[in-house]
Amino acid sequence: MAASSIAASSTVAGLASSPLPRLSPAKPINLTSGFLKSEVKARNPLRQTCASGGKFTCFERDWLRTDFNVIGFGLIGWLAPSSIPAINGNSLTGLFFQSIGQELSHFPTGPALSSPFWLWMITWHLGLFLCLTFGQIGFKGRTEDYF
């Protein structure tokens, strides 16, 4: 009984008879700082209109900055050394293409896990992607005066 009489006599602001004061959303909030000379209005960064059509993005739209020179020179830069006959008189490119032909000879069935095709494919593509990656870094670094 005592608990119910205490709860009935005390009111919490905003829940019963005394409402909380409302903040008007039309009134702009002005922020000031000792570092800034003028007042700064609070903004929502997600609503800013910018080059990405009003969408908030962390990266610029053309972050890869693709260049066909890099793709062309990178492919030539990988085909030249991978075509040198250094593996028992065969080149990596030749072994890879030869294994493709062997696997296509029994087409409906895929290559077995013990097939040398997987070794040549992974090695050839790893070299190609490393050459393209370093080519992109070097070409764009040189164009944008990083080194």
Side-chain angles (χ1 to χ4, degrees), residues 75 78 82 92 96-97 100 117-133:
L75 185 61
W78 175 240
S82 68
L92 178 61
F96 177 48
F97 290 161
I100 290 173
F117 165 76
W118 297 111
L119 174 68
W120 305 133
M121 185 195 72
I122 290 171
T123 308
W124 195 88
H125 281 92
L126 183 69
L128 174 67
F129 295 149
L130 282 173
C131 193
L132 289 173
T133 301

Side-chain angles (χ1 to χ4, degrees), residues 25-131:
K27 182 179 179 185
I29 300 172
N30 292 325
L31 302 176
T32 59
S33 171
F35 296 107
L36 300 173
K37 303 260 187 227
S38 63
E39 293 181 351
V40 177
K41 292 183 179 182
R43 303 183 279 185
N44 184 353
L46 299 176
R47 290 189 181 186
Q48 290 181 5
T49 57
C50 53
S52 60
K55 298 176 187 169
F56 178 76
T57 57
C58 295
F59 299 103
E60 56 187 74
R61 193 173 278 295
D62 187 26
W63 63 272
L64 186 58
R65 293 176 284 193
T66 56
D67 192 357
F68 293 117
N69 290 328
V70 175
I71 295 170
F73 289 131
L75 185 61
I76 292 169
W78 175 240
L79 278 175
S82 68
S83 296
I84 297 172
I87 306 169
N88 295 330
N90 293 323
S91 67
L92 178 61
T93 303
L95 288 170
F96 177 48
F97 290 161
Q98 182 182 6
S99 68
I100 290 173
Q102 289 173 354
E103 295 302 327
L104 283 176
S105 66
H106 54 84
F107 168 63
T109 25
L113 289 177
S114 59
S115 173
F117 165 76
W118 297 111
L119 174 68
W120 305 133
M121 185 195 72
I122 290 171
T123 308
W124 195 88
H125 281 92
L126 183 69
L128 174 67
F129 295 149
L130 282 173
C131 193

